[in-house]
Amino acid sequence: MSGDGGAAAASLVTSRAASVAQDIDAAFDRLLAVPDDARARLYDAMRHAAIGGGKRLRPLLVQASCDLFNISRDSALRVGLAIECIHVYSLIHDDLPAMDDDDMRRGKPTVHKAYDEAAAILAGDCLHDLAFEILADEETHPDPFVRIDLVRALAVSSGPAGMAGGQMMDLEAEKTRFDLATVTRLQNLKTGALIAFCVEAAAIMARLPHEARTGLHGYARDIGLAFQIADDLLDVEGDAALAGKALGKDAAAGKETFVSLLGVARAREQAQMLVDQAKAHLHGHGAEADLLRAIADYIVERDR
Amino acid sequence: MSGDGGAAAASLVTSRAASVAQDIDAAFDRLLAVPDDARARLYDAMRHAAIGGGKRLRPLLVQASCDLFNISRDSALRVGLAIECIHVYSLIHDDLPAMDDDDMRRGKPTVHKAYDEAAAILAGDCLHDLAFEILADEETHPDPFVRIDLVRALAVSSGPAGMAGGQMMDLEAEKTRFDLATVTRLQNLKTGALIAFCVEAAAIMARLPHEARTGLHGYARDIGLAFQIADDLLDVEGDAALAGKALGKDAAAGKETFVSLLGVARAREQAQMLVDQAKAHLHGHGAEADLLRAIADYIVERDR
């Protein structure tokens, strides 16, 4: 693949993504076996949110990053599963009436609609714990130094200095008009931090020296931002049926986004520039980085 | 101390508890320094819930358990801080309108009253992450095997097989009439699991062989249940001003408790029996277990 994207990239992403999605669903099905007691409803709510649907982009990104270092598929899958636990927990909580108040997610009713708000809060909390339980287990990686580094990096990426901090900024965005620098920082936290962890996790498992991680960090930062710009474009131009959720909500809430600040044409240019830059960070790698290159292309070309 | 409780026990608990509470407040103050950006409100909400107030029983229990094994005060404090993060996060989420709908906690407005529901959900989520970030950091303990064991044990204690699973059962208790066995199981999960982790954490840091932990596990199980029975008694007989929260809510919600199932007199007997049994589990220990013994007595004698 020359790195120009197009049909070959899309097909590489599609085939690997389908296999990853199947593995993640099967793993959630085993992990979330419903107990025969008063907690059944809690597990049902977790299963509703975690199984079936979703692009599984983050677990795919872990696999693609692990391709660079010959890390076992099992380790990559378990780390991807832990990240998906965090991602799904954050969707459940973000969808709550007190937060973004969404009724549909991944083409299904959100958890608080299908169950109730209490079950949604607790199902999110439980998936949050499961992420760390999965990473701490020796099945994930034999080296305890690696596991503890994964735990610490994930806790930072999902907490107040990462995803949750970005979500708080996002809520404040309805009250103040943010400039481009602030929206960029918000998105680097809200979606960028967890995407960056997907790539960082492979570097941690490979015990790659910190000075050798610069290129990967650059790749992750660039695709994280490109992903969010593409999301903002889809929010304006996308198809709600394909997306499986309500669109056009940012404009309705009066929130500044990359599209409101840059306009559609410049936002699209900016996303493509970031994708090219992301791929340039992989110049030292050969065919083993093809999936990472294809994911970068896919991120701006996707229709959901 | 002979193990009969009374004034000596109360004074031992009071003096150590005051010092632990001071250390925990100071640690939260450093950990939750408010950033100069749109996340300030999130940190303010976390500080509101985490700093000042609370018995800090769990961090005290970690200290008392660490007394048995000459574990450093610093390690004990950091583990206690992580557990308090989990405890405070669970209080914030449990107090939400969709859950127990409480307006007062520790004599102050609950987080969703002082801020709003979104800030409360996110503040809880962030404290949840911080717990694991603290445990994963090498400042907590030099041995990565110990740190990863702490992470795994805490994730299990707080997740669907522990505290959060118990909270789900508690919500279901308003719909069904539970029998004594089910209420016992509910409380073993809802409050018992995290209390047991306080003691288990010391055994993990001491790298105590599993077969040598039986007595400690028995102690933890017994005081966990005694604590909950005492809570149920306080809910019926206590002083809301001292408790700093609304009382009498279980009866109003038609929920079965130890008191509704056993009556006041038998519930009090049962709690005392459990305290005696808890102390009997410590028979192999000398004066180094005095604080653990005093905590057992304090748990049923406290007025808040």
Side-chain angles (χ1 to χ4, degrees):
Chain A
M1 193 180 346
S2 68
D4 278 340
S11 132
L12 181 56
V13 169
T14 310
S15 64
R16 281 290 287 276
S19 130
V20 166
Q22 206 167 19
D23 290 346
I24 292 284
D25 274 350
F28 271 130
D29 185 48
R30 280 193 304 276
L31 189 70
L32 301 174
V34 181
D36 184 21
D37 61 30
R39 296 169 305 148
R41 191 174 157 78
L42 174 63
Y43 279 79
D44 285 337
M46 285 193 268
R47 295 177 68 90
H48 175 88
I51 299 175
K55 299 179 287 290
R56 309 299 192 190
L57 175 70
R58 289 158 191 80
L60 178 68
L61 198 50
V62 177
Q63 297 273 356
S65 306
C66 286
D67 280 359
L68 301 186
F69 306 110
N70 285 314
I71 292 161
S72 84
R73 280 285 166 99
D74 282 355
S75 287
L77 177 65
R78 286 187 58 94
V79 169
L81 187 66
I83 297 171
E84 200 66 8
C85 284
I86 294 288
H87 179 55
V88 173
Y89 122 65
S90 78
L91 297 180
I92 299 173
H93 283 189
D94 289 359
D95 286 340
L96 285 165
M99 304 264 266
D100 299 343
D101 194 14
D102 277 303
D103 295 349
M104 295 293 287
R105 167 71 68 182
R106 294 176 169 176
K108 295 187 290 192
T110 47
V111 177
H112 66 272
K113 281 284 166 188
Y115 295 83
D116 54 50
E117 282 184 53
I121 294 164
L122 283 171
D125 290 342
C126 287
L127 287 163
H128 199 168
D129 282 307
L130 284 175
F132 294 106
E133 190 183 337
I134 291 166
L135 290 188
D137 195 284
E138 62 191 357
E139 254 194 78
T140 296
H141 197 280
D143 184 340
F145 280 99
V146 164
R147 300 205 300 278
I148 205 72
D149 276 0
L150 290 172
V151 166
R152 182 165 33 188
L154 181 61
V156 172
S157 306
S158 60
M163 184 184 77
Q167 174 66 7
M168 188 70 195
M169 290 182 74
D170 203 24
L171 293 168
E172 297 290 302
E174 293 183 19
K175 306 179 195 161
T176 341
R177 282 203 117 48
F178 284 167
D179 60 11
L180 188 61
T182 310
V183 168
T184 302
R185 174 156 164 69
L186 183 170
Q187 297 300 352
N188 277 338
L189 294 178
K190 191 182 171 193
T191 58
L194 201 58
I195 285 177
F197 175 73
C198 297
V199 177
E200 179 73 4
I204 290 171
M205 287 192 277
R207 307 214 65 173
L208 199 67
H210 282 271
E211 61 275 16
R213 297 182 189 182
T214 320
L216 283 174
H217 291 170
Y219 168 86
R221 200 174 46 239
D222 291 339
I223 64 158
L225 215 46
F227 179 84
Q228 191 55 48
I229 298 176
D231 241 32
D232 287 353
L233 285 162
L234 282 170
D235 195 56
V236 172
E237 302 182 319
D239 177 333
L242 271 175
K245 61 182 178 185
L247 298 177
K249 293 196 65 181
D250 288 335
K255 270 197 259 187
E256 297 291 5
T257 68
F258 289 112
V259 174
S260 72
L261 289 164
L262 296 172
V264 167
R266 273 188 61 209
R268 198 184 311 282
E269 267 173 43
Q270 178 72 7
Q272 188 56 53
M273 190 275 285
L274 285 163
V275 165
D276 295 340
Q277 192 173 292
K279 290 191 287 186
H281 281 299
L282 304 172
H283 64 85
H285 295 281
E288 75 278 11
D290 274 354
L291 185 55
L292 282 178
R293 295 186 185 99
I295 289 172
D297 287 323
Y298 165 77
I299 273 174
V300 294
E301 285 160 12
R302 67 202 161 95
D303 54 12
R304 67 185 185 107
Chain B
M1 190 180 347
S2 67
D4 279 339
S11 131
L12 182 57
V13 169
T14 309
S15 63
R16 280 290 288 274
S19 130
V20 166
Q22 205 166 20
D23 290 345
I24 292 284
D25 273 350
F28 271 130
D29 185 48
R30 279 192 304 276
L31 189 70
L32 301 174
V34 181
D36 184 22
D37 61 29
R39 296 169 305 148
R41 191 174 157 78
L42 173 63
Y43 279 80
D44 285 337
M46 284 193 269
R47 295 177 68 90
H48 175 87
I51 299 176
K55 298 179 289 290
R56 309 299 192 191
L57 174 70
R58 289 159 191 79
L60 178 68
L61 198 49
V62 177
Q63 298 272 356
S65 306
C66 286
D67 279 359
L68 301 186
F69 307 110
N70 284 313
I71 291 162
S72 83
R73 281 282 165 100
D74 282 355
S75 286
L77 177 65
R78 286 188 58 94
V79 169
L81 187 66
I83 297 171
E84 200 65 10
C85 284
I86 294 287
H87 179 56
V88 173
Y89 121 66
S90 78
L91 297 179
I92 299 174
H93 282 189
D94 289 0
D95 286 341
L96 285 166
M99 304 267 265
D100 298 343
D101 194 15
D102 277 304
D103 294 350
M104 295 293 287
R105 168 70 67 183
R106 294 176 170 176
K108 294 188 290 193
T110 47
V111 178
H112 65 273
K113 281 284 167 189
Y115 295 84
D116 55 51
E117 282 185 53
I121 294 165
L122 283 171
D125 290 341
C126 286
L127 287 163
H128 199 168
D129 282 307
L130 284 175
F132 294 106
E133 190 182 337
I134 291 166
L135 290 187
D137 194 284
E138 62 190 357
E139 253 193 80
T140 296
H141 197 280
D143 184 340
F145 280 99
V146 163
R147 300 205 300 279
I148 204 72
D149 276 1
L150 290 172
V151 166
R152 182 165 32 190
L154 180 62
V156 173
S157 306
S158 59
M163 183 184 77
Q167 175 65 6
M168 188 70 195
M169 290 183 75
D170 203 25
L171 293 168
E172 297 290 303
E174 293 184 19
K175 305 179 194 163
T176 341
R177 281 205 117 50
F178 285 165
D179 60 12
L180 189 61
T182 310
V183 168
T184 303
R185 175 158 163 66
L186 183 169
Q187 298 300 353
N188 277 337
L189 294 178
K190 190 183 171 193
T191 58
L194 200 58
I195 284 177
F197 175 73
C198 297
V199 177
E200 179 73 4
I204 290 171
M205 287 193 276
R207 308 213 65 174
L208 199 67
H210 283 272
E211 60 276 16
R213 297 182 188 182
T214 319
L216 283 175
H217 291 170
Y219 168 85
R221 200 175 45 241
D222 292 339
I223 63 158
L225 216 47
F227 178 84
Q228 190 55 49
I229 298 176
D231 241 33
D232 287 354
L233 284 163
L234 282 170
D235 194 56
V236 173
E237 303 183 318
D239 177 333
L242 272 176
K245 61 182 178 185
L247 298 177
K249 294 196 65 182
D250 288 335
K255 269 197 259 187
E256 297 291 5
T257 68
F258 289 111
V259 174
S260 72
L261 290 164
L262 295 172
V264 167
R266 274 189 60 211
R268 198 185 310 282
E269 269 174 41
Q270 177 73 8
Q272 189 56 52
M273 190 274 286
L274 285 163
V275 165
D276 294 340
Q277 191 172 291
K279 290 190 287 187
H281 281 299
L282 303 172
H283 64 84
H285 294 281
E288 75 278 11
D290 275 354
L291 185 55
L292 283 178
R293 295 186 186 99
I295 289 173
D297 287 323
Y298 165 76
I299 273 175
V300 293
E301 286 161 12
R302 69 202 161 93
D303 54 11
R304 67 184 185 110

